[in-house]
Amino acid sequence: MTDFFAAAATDDTPIEPSLPDGWELVVGLEVHVELDTATKLFCGCANQFGSEPNTNICPTCLGLPGSLPVMNESAVELAMRLGRALGCDVNRSVMARKNYFYPDMPKDFQTTQYDQPTNSDGRVVLGDGFVVGIERAHIEEDTGKSTHVGGGGRINDAEYSLVDYNRAGVPLVEIVSRPDVRTIDHAKAYVEELRGILLATGVSDARMEEGSMRVDANVSVRPHGSAELRTRCEIKNINSVRSLGRAIEYEARRHIDLWTNDGAPDQETRHWDEEGGRTTSGRSKEDADDYRYFQEPDLVPLEPSAETVAAIDAAMPPLPAARRAALLEASGADASAVGIVVERGQDGLAMAAIEAGAEPEKVVTRLVNDLAVDDWSKVEGEAFAELIRMESAGELSATQAKQILGDLVEQGGDPAEHAASRGFEAMDTGELESLVDQLIADHPEEWARFTGSDDGDRKKMQGFFTGQIMKATKGQADGKAVAQLLAQKSS
Amino acid sequence: MSALDIAAAVRSGERRATDVLDEHLARIEAGDGDIHAFNLVTADAAREEAEAVDAAVARGDDPGPLAGVPVALKDNMCTRGIPTTCSSKVLEGWRPPYDATVVTRLRAAGAVAVGKTNLDEFAMGSSTENSAFGPTHNPRDLTRVPGGSSGGTAASVAADFTPLGIGSDTGGSIRQPAAFCGVVGMKPTYGAVSRYGLIAFASSLDQIGPFASSVADAAAMFDVIAGPDPRDSTSIRDYAPNASSVLDRGVAGLRVGVIRELSGGAGTVDGLSADVLARTQEAVDALAAAGATVEEISVPSATLGLSAYYLVAPAEASSNLARYDGVRYGLRVDAPTTGEMNTASRTAGFGPEVKRRIMLGTYALSAGYYDAFYGKALKVRTMMLREFAEAYEKVDVLVTPTAPTTAFPLGERTADPMTMYVNDVCTIPSNLTGHPGISVPFGIGEDGLPVGVQVLAPALGDELTFQVASVLEAAAAGGAS
Ligand SMILES: [Zn+2]
């Protein structure tokens, strides 16, 4: 069951971990995203996560002899849309073959792009204005998935391996950033921002846990003030934004250790070990692959016309950065709260509620604190505005407002109607006052402590009286009104 | 009996497709022990197809333009449920789950596929001696090679096992065996015929084409198999040639060019034999006699074709053949690790010529060698396209020998790959440019074996090649040499 009232997800590493003095971090990120197409990149098989193994396959995505690829035009369209959202140039592009042997790759080459990618030279602007350059965002096919059974669970010591080719040929875009990132927070913010762009454009569902968004980090360090690029390591197998931060920090410290002890890191691929909290060496330098790229002769170049690109631009939905700016302006709320609302895609609701007359800052606060749910599609702007108004006016207590928000999430509709059907009538002030008087009479000792000079006592007793009244009214009393009455009576 | 005569007789109900089939199967049965044109004869499947044709005729339905005509399929064309080997041990026992587009189109036209023919392993070779299942013998002289790599299909047509056959041509693999066996063989414009279901050797060069005993039969088959296919991204959209309709147009007023570098003129390539050059000259004379104008043309890069080809083709092959790794189908030799299993399977599965080309291609694409080898070959290809485009501003077609010599003895060149490779010197340029070319028999050499003459045309000039070949065919029959 969904907990409607869960506290807003908070960043669990609010403080930037600091590296030893004198060292600067240099990070480039390579992000693979699966495109949200109905079918695979080169054949008509379903692009679907979670099917029975080897059910979404055909001669082409199995790479059977004689089969040929046919480009999925909607994948190209999504890739170009993403490119434009990242501010890239969309180029004439060609597919290339990246040759290496691996059992989950049916043709023993991957069809990708090499020197002529579809998108190049873009940028992502983070919430705080920091700019990460995008070198390229190119189209490629995914591989199948291997499961190594027995032994150490790795390909060469397993008893046997199982391969599922459902994922083989699923369309991917690989987004390669420039090595612009200097802090772990920016690395994480970049991935979050990309995710927001992917969701906003409908390019991908961008789920790291399902593998539809995969992040590799190229990490190196250098002395502060230096412009050199030192040996970098590519960290793979990072499964969450949190792990990304941990992996970069671990790797940076490892490099600094090596450099300060007359050593040097090897340029290599390393794997993030989530449980061990460390990176481990992947392939050694000796078997570094020469991929022997060459143009894919079975496909023709992609040559989008200027009209095609213009049409993509015209149909571009508002992107997170623009939406943040708009909500920030409309609400005057805290930038990080606005960021959360936009990240959740609740900015449309926020704007509608503000338009309907709700107090803008309160709208943002309420959304952040009380609407951390998966599906809020039934909540309408006007209803949300009305709920906030009712609570502000004391017609509903905070607890009641939360309950009614739950009703809105589940059923939609009008908050006043939900309040009526729950029997949440605003309590008559006179009625509340006589209740308070009765309580004071019944509890003279507590009252004396409330009116005494000890601040701690006063606070405790305030809690006591409020609790008693809430109990007596089954939570229907407005907490603020109670506080006001208690203050009046004690003065 | 020609393919068109058989089709006419079957369509009219005069002959039954099943009888035609039985007659040809009997010939195969009697003769293929000596020739070895076929890796596999699919008599039962063929009979079902023939019966379907007869049933269509009986119902009054149109059984198609090739009704009841037996055809031979090179064993690198995928046939659903029927073993398709590329004459390689690595694919022994593999049955494709689908038909190549050409196979589907031939069946729809009423043709009856009788079996899969021998080839140089993965179409790599010029003699059909590089087959894991033994060589094919030339029906004109059993001690000679049939040419290659489509030697099995060429032999099938030459031996009258089938009136028609399907081959593939990556560097001359249709035209050269057609010349050696004395039949007509045509390589279409790249993209004219779908490659879907053709097991790739070198994807940017491979093209499927027809074999027949006559130009008219070859044209009829070409018309059936040509045309766009959404399954092949490189197939040409909106291209629907009709070669059969142009065969009687003659060559009056046509401008014919003779490539100096491939015809014994100054700067000519080595190894062109005198009798082949003589027949080629006679062919050119015949075209002139029929009203064409003749001009010598220089295409200097034509002589570089061989070197460029032996970088481009192996490079693509090294990638195309990577999938034969023992994981999913075909031969698997078990070993302790996956990598060792890959190596063991490929070592046992591929023959020496295939290994040689995989290694060549791997080096040509390797970091540090790419620019010097593969990159340079691409430049030659571009240069060749430009020079041929210039030539075709001056002339409509080009005429050259198909192969430097007539069919050579079995075993003569297997020890030295270079002497084998030069066989393709005249045919390779049109694979690198993607242009069409046809080989038509024109007289015999000193050894009494057939000589083939090649007619080349620019891209989309497929009809023109048949038109000119038709005139040469008539001239040859009229007693030239
Ligand atoms: Zn598929």
Side-chain angles (χ1 to χ4, degrees), chain A residues 387-409:
Chain A
L387 179 67
I388 290 170
R389 191 201 57 73
M390 288 170 76
E391 195 192 343
S392 300
E395 292 165 31
L396 292 171
S397 69
T399 312
Q400 289 172 332
K402 279 188 184 180
Q403 283 173 284
I404 287 177
L405 183 55
D407 294 339
L408 293 180
V409 166

PDB file of all heavy atoms in Angstrom, chain A residues 387-409:
ATOM      1  N   LEU A 387      -8.282  22.755  -0.981  1.00  0.00           N
ATOM      2  CA  LEU A 387      -7.849  22.049   0.231  1.00  0.00           C
ATOM      3  C   LEU A 387      -6.930  22.943   1.069  1.00  0.00           C
ATOM      4  O   LEU A 387      -7.065  23.039   2.292  1.00  0.00           O
ATOM      5  CB  LEU A 387      -7.121  20.756  -0.168  1.00  0.00           C
ATOM      6  CG  LEU A 387      -6.582  19.899   0.980  1.00  0.00           C
ATOM      7  CD1 LEU A 387      -7.730  19.302   1.797  1.00  0.00           C
ATOM      8  CD2 LEU A 387      -5.682  18.780   0.455  1.00  0.00           C
ATOM      9  N   ILE A 388      -5.999  23.598   0.371  1.00  0.00           N
ATOM     10  CA  ILE A 388      -5.069  24.482   1.070  1.00  0.00           C
ATOM     11  C   ILE A 388      -5.822  25.651   1.706  1.00  0.00           C
ATOM     12  O   ILE A 388      -5.561  26.041   2.856  1.00  0.00           O
ATOM     13  CB  ILE A 388      -3.976  24.974   0.103  1.00  0.00           C
ATOM     14  CG1 ILE A 388      -3.055  23.802  -0.267  1.00  0.00           C
ATOM     15  CG2 ILE A 388      -3.171  26.119   0.703  1.00  0.00           C
ATOM     16  CD1 ILE A 388      -2.098  24.115  -1.379  1.00  0.00           C
ATOM     17  N   ARG A 389      -6.798  26.181   0.956  1.00  0.00           N
ATOM     18  CA  ARG A 389      -7.582  27.295   1.496  1.00  0.00           C
ATOM     19  C   ARG A 389      -8.345  26.852   2.762  1.00  0.00           C
ATOM     20  O   ARG A 389      -8.338  27.532   3.780  1.00  0.00           O
ATOM     21  CB  ARG A 389      -8.590  27.797   0.453  1.00  0.00           C
ATOM     22  CG  ARG A 389      -9.269  29.121   0.817  1.00  0.00           C
ATOM     23  CD  ARG A 389     -10.566  29.334   0.084  1.00  0.00           C
ATOM     24  NE  ARG A 389     -11.556  28.297   0.271  1.00  0.00           N
ATOM     25  CZ  ARG A 389     -12.264  28.097   1.400  1.00  0.00           C
ATOM     26  NH1 ARG A 389     -12.079  28.863   2.450  1.00  0.00           N
ATOM     27  NH2 ARG A 389     -13.141  27.107   1.476  1.00  0.00           N
ATOM     28  N   MET A 390      -8.969  25.690   2.692  1.00  0.00           N
ATOM     29  CA  MET A 390      -9.755  25.206   3.829  1.00  0.00           C
ATOM     30  C   MET A 390      -8.878  25.032   5.071  1.00  0.00           C
ATOM     31  O   MET A 390      -9.276  25.357   6.180  1.00  0.00           O
ATOM     32  CB  MET A 390     -10.427  23.865   3.487  1.00  0.00           C
ATOM     33  CG  MET A 390     -11.576  24.015   2.498  1.00  0.00           C
ATOM     34  SD  MET A 390     -12.158  22.420   1.880  1.00  0.00           S
ATOM     35  CE  MET A 390     -13.079  21.847   3.310  1.00  0.00           C
ATOM     36  N   GLU A 391      -7.675  24.527   4.856  1.00  0.00           N
ATOM     37  CA  GLU A 391      -6.782  24.320   5.993  1.00  0.00           C
ATOM     38  C   GLU A 391      -6.322  25.650   6.571  1.00  0.00           C
ATOM     39  O   GLU A 391      -6.338  25.851   7.791  1.00  0.00           O
ATOM     40  CB  GLU A 391      -5.574  23.470   5.569  1.00  0.00           C
ATOM     41  CG  GLU A 391      -4.813  22.933   6.768  1.00  0.00           C
ATOM     42  CD  GLU A 391      -3.469  22.338   6.408  1.00  0.00           C
ATOM     43  OE1 GLU A 391      -3.235  22.037   5.223  1.00  0.00           O
ATOM     44  OE2 GLU A 391      -2.645  22.193   7.322  1.00  0.00           O
ATOM     45  N   SER A 392      -5.972  26.578   5.684  1.00  0.00           N
ATOM     46  CA  SER A 392      -5.524  27.899   6.139  1.00  0.00           C
ATOM     47  C   SER A 392      -6.619  28.619   6.912  1.00  0.00           C
ATOM     48  O   SER A 392      -6.362  29.321   7.884  1.00  0.00           O
ATOM     49  CB  SER A 392      -5.120  28.761   4.940  1.00  0.00           C
ATOM     50  OG  SER A 392      -4.074  28.145   4.257  1.00  0.00           O
ATOM     51  N   ALA A 393      -7.851  28.413   6.466  1.00  0.00           N
ATOM     52  CA  ALA A 393      -8.976  29.095   7.096  1.00  0.00           C
ATOM     53  C   ALA A 393      -9.408  28.411   8.378  1.00  0.00           C
ATOM     54  O   ALA A 393     -10.367  28.827   9.025  1.00  0.00           O
ATOM     55  CB  ALA A 393     -10.136  29.166   6.114  1.00  0.00           C
ATOM     56  N   GLY A 394      -8.736  27.327   8.723  1.00  0.00           N
ATOM     57  CA  GLY A 394      -9.088  26.637   9.946  1.00  0.00           C
ATOM     58  C   GLY A 394     -10.306  25.738   9.805  1.00  0.00           C
ATOM     59  O   GLY A 394     -10.815  25.206  10.777  1.00  0.00           O
ATOM     60  N   GLU A 395     -10.762  25.574   8.567  1.00  0.00           N
ATOM     61  CA  GLU A 395     -11.912  24.694   8.374  1.00  0.00           C
ATOM     62  C   GLU A 395     -11.519  23.233   8.508  1.00  0.00           C
ATOM     63  O   GLU A 395     -12.351  22.369   8.755  1.00  0.00           O
ATOM     64  CB  GLU A 395     -12.540  24.938   6.991  1.00  0.00           C
ATOM     65  CG  GLU A 395     -13.182  26.305   6.880  1.00  0.00           C
ATOM     66  CD  GLU A 395     -13.485  26.692   5.435  1.00  0.00           C
ATOM     67  OE1 GLU A 395     -13.750  25.774   4.624  1.00  0.00           O
ATOM     68  OE2 GLU A 395     -13.432  27.898   5.133  1.00  0.00           O
ATOM     69  N   LEU A 396     -10.239  22.960   8.312  1.00  0.00           N
ATOM     70  CA  LEU A 396      -9.729  21.610   8.491  1.00  0.00           C
ATOM     71  C   LEU A 396      -8.472  21.664   9.336  1.00  0.00           C
ATOM     72  O   LEU A 396      -7.679  22.590   9.223  1.00  0.00           O
ATOM     73  CB  LEU A 396      -9.354  20.988   7.138  1.00  0.00           C
ATOM     74  CG  LEU A 396     -10.477  20.675   6.153  1.00  0.00           C
ATOM     75  CD1 LEU A 396      -9.890  20.269   4.814  1.00  0.00           C
ATOM     76  CD2 LEU A 396     -11.374  19.563   6.694  1.00  0.00           C
ATOM     77  N   SER A 397      -8.294  20.672  10.183  1.00  0.00           N
ATOM     78  CA  SER A 397      -7.048  20.576  10.914  1.00  0.00           C
ATOM     79  C   SER A 397      -5.994  20.001   9.964  1.00  0.00           C
ATOM     80  O   SER A 397      -6.329  19.473   8.908  1.00  0.00           O
ATOM     81  CB  SER A 397      -7.214  19.642  12.098  1.00  0.00           C
ATOM     82  OG  SER A 397      -7.382  18.321  11.640  1.00  0.00           O
ATOM     83  N   ALA A 398      -4.726  20.090  10.357  1.00  0.00           N
ATOM     84  CA  ALA A 398      -3.647  19.555   9.523  1.00  0.00           C
ATOM     85  C   ALA A 398      -3.863  18.072   9.266  1.00  0.00           C
ATOM     86  O   ALA A 398      -3.695  17.570   8.151  1.00  0.00           O
ATOM     87  CB  ALA A 398      -2.304  19.793  10.204  1.00  0.00           C
ATOM     88  N   THR A 399      -4.235  17.349  10.318  1.00  0.00           N
ATOM     89  CA  THR A 399      -4.470  15.915  10.182  1.00  0.00           C
ATOM     90  C   THR A 399      -5.609  15.635   9.213  1.00  0.00           C
ATOM     91  O   THR A 399      -5.526  14.759   8.356  1.00  0.00           O
ATOM     92  CB  THR A 399      -4.812  15.309  11.555  1.00  0.00           C
ATOM     93  OG1 THR A 399      -3.856  15.784  12.486  1.00  0.00           O
ATOM     94  CG2 THR A 399      -4.802  13.810  11.501  1.00  0.00           C
ATOM     95  N   GLN A 400      -6.657  16.400   9.351  1.00  0.00           N
ATOM     96  CA  GLN A 400      -7.798  16.209   8.462  1.00  0.00           C
ATOM     97  C   GLN A 400      -7.426  16.515   7.013  1.00  0.00           C
ATOM     98  O   GLN A 400      -7.829  15.811   6.090  1.00  0.00           O
ATOM     99  CB  GLN A 400      -8.955  17.131   8.897  1.00  0.00           C
ATOM    100  CG  GLN A 400      -9.591  16.686  10.199  1.00  0.00           C
ATOM    101  CD  GLN A 400     -10.580  17.716  10.709  1.00  0.00           C
ATOM    102  OE1 GLN A 400     -10.431  18.911  10.431  1.00  0.00           O
ATOM    103  NE2 GLN A 400     -11.563  17.254  11.458  1.00  0.00           N
ATOM    104  N   ALA A 401      -6.651  17.583   6.843  1.00  0.00           N
ATOM    105  CA  ALA A 401      -6.247  17.957   5.487  1.00  0.00           C
ATOM    106  C   ALA A 401      -5.467  16.832   4.831  1.00  0.00           C
ATOM    107  O   ALA A 401      -5.660  16.517   3.665  1.00  0.00           O
ATOM    108  CB  ALA A 401      -5.423  19.233   5.518  1.00  0.00           C
ATOM    109  N   LYS A 402      -4.611  16.211   5.609  1.00  0.00           N
ATOM    110  CA  LYS A 402      -3.832  15.096   5.059  1.00  0.00           C
ATOM    111  C   LYS A 402      -4.735  13.942   4.653  1.00  0.00           C
ATOM    112  O   LYS A 402      -4.547  13.317   3.618  1.00  0.00           O
ATOM    113  CB  LYS A 402      -2.803  14.603   6.081  1.00  0.00           C
ATOM    114  CG  LYS A 402      -1.566  15.469   6.112  1.00  0.00           C
ATOM    115  CD  LYS A 402      -0.499  14.835   6.981  1.00  0.00           C
ATOM    116  CE  LYS A 402       0.715  15.752   7.087  1.00  0.00           C
ATOM    117  NZ  LYS A 402       1.752  15.160   7.931  1.00  0.00           N
ATOM    118  N   GLN A 403      -5.715  13.671   5.493  1.00  0.00           N
ATOM    119  CA  GLN A 403      -6.634  12.577   5.163  1.00  0.00           C
ATOM    120  C   GLN A 403      -7.399  12.872   3.871  1.00  0.00           C
ATOM    121  O   GLN A 403      -7.609  11.994   3.044  1.00  0.00           O
ATOM    122  CB  GLN A 403      -7.605  12.342   6.322  1.00  0.00           C
ATOM    123  CG  GLN A 403      -6.946  11.575   7.461  1.00  0.00           C
ATOM    124  CD  GLN A 403      -7.851  11.497   8.662  1.00  0.00           C
ATOM    125  OE1 GLN A 403      -8.005  12.463   9.398  1.00  0.00           O
ATOM    126  NE2 GLN A 403      -8.463  10.346   8.853  1.00  0.00           N
ATOM    127  N   ILE A 404      -7.787  14.122   3.740  1.00  0.00           N
ATOM    128  CA  ILE A 404      -8.557  14.476   2.548  1.00  0.00           C
ATOM    129  C   ILE A 404      -7.676  14.474   1.308  1.00  0.00           C
ATOM    130  O   ILE A 404      -8.113  14.074   0.227  1.00  0.00           O
ATOM    131  CB  ILE A 404      -9.278  15.819   2.769  1.00  0.00           C
ATOM    132  CG1 ILE A 404     -10.418  15.533   3.748  1.00  0.00           C
ATOM    133  CG2 ILE A 404      -9.787  16.406   1.462  1.00  0.00           C
ATOM    134  CD1 ILE A 404     -11.208  16.703   4.173  1.00  0.00           C
ATOM    135  N   LEU A 405      -6.420  14.846   1.486  1.00  0.00           N
ATOM    136  CA  LEU A 405      -5.508  14.751   0.355  1.00  0.00           C
ATOM    137  C   LEU A 405      -5.414  13.293  -0.097  1.00  0.00           C
ATOM    138  O   LEU A 405      -5.382  12.993  -1.296  1.00  0.00           O
ATOM    139  CB  LEU A 405      -4.125  15.293   0.743  1.00  0.00           C
ATOM    140  CG  LEU A 405      -3.084  15.316  -0.377  1.00  0.00           C
ATOM    141  CD1 LEU A 405      -3.594  16.073  -1.596  1.00  0.00           C
ATOM    142  CD2 LEU A 405      -1.771  15.939   0.115  1.00  0.00           C
ATOM    143  N   GLY A 406      -5.404  12.392   0.877  1.00  0.00           N
ATOM    144  CA  GLY A 406      -5.419  10.963   0.549  1.00  0.00           C
ATOM    145  C   GLY A 406      -6.638  10.598  -0.276  1.00  0.00           C
ATOM    146  O   GLY A 406      -6.552   9.836  -1.244  1.00  0.00           O
ATOM    147  N   ASP A 407      -7.797  11.168   0.113  1.00  0.00           N
ATOM    148  CA  ASP A 407      -9.019  10.909  -0.655  1.00  0.00           C
ATOM    149  C   ASP A 407      -8.884  11.422  -2.085  1.00  0.00           C
ATOM    150  O   ASP A 407      -9.329  10.768  -3.040  1.00  0.00           O
ATOM    151  CB  ASP A 407     -10.224  11.607   0.005  1.00  0.00           C
ATOM    152  CG  ASP A 407     -10.536  11.007   1.380  1.00  0.00           C
ATOM    153  OD1 ASP A 407     -10.112   9.847   1.630  1.00  0.00           O
ATOM    154  OD2 ASP A 407     -11.176  11.692   2.199  1.00  0.00           O
ATOM    155  N   LEU A 408      -8.293  12.607  -2.205  1.00  0.00           N
ATOM    156  CA  LEU A 408      -8.132  13.193  -3.535  1.00  0.00           C
ATOM    157  C   LEU A 408      -7.218  12.332  -4.407  1.00  0.00           C
ATOM    158  O   LEU A 408      -7.478  12.121  -5.596  1.00  0.00           O
ATOM    159  CB  LEU A 408      -7.558  14.620  -3.435  1.00  0.00           C
ATOM    160  CG  LEU A 408      -8.448  15.681  -2.790  1.00  0.00           C
ATOM    161  CD1 LEU A 408      -7.722  17.029  -2.769  1.00  0.00           C
ATOM    162  CD2 LEU A 408      -9.775  15.829  -3.524  1.00  0.00           C
ATOM    163  N   VAL A 409      -6.147  11.824  -3.808  1.00  0.00           N
ATOM    164  CA  VAL A 409      -5.223  10.971  -4.556  1.00  0.00           C
ATOM    165  C   VAL A 409      -5.935   9.718  -5.048  1.00  0.00           C
ATOM    166  O   VAL A 409      -5.792   9.299  -6.195  1.00  0.00           O
ATOM    167  CB  VAL A 409      -4.005  10.589  -3.683  1.00  0.00           C
ATOM    168  CG1 VAL A 409      -3.209   9.447  -4.317  1.00  0.00           C
ATOM    169  CG2 VAL A 409      -3.100  11.804  -3.482  1.00  0.00           C
TER     170      VAL A 409
END
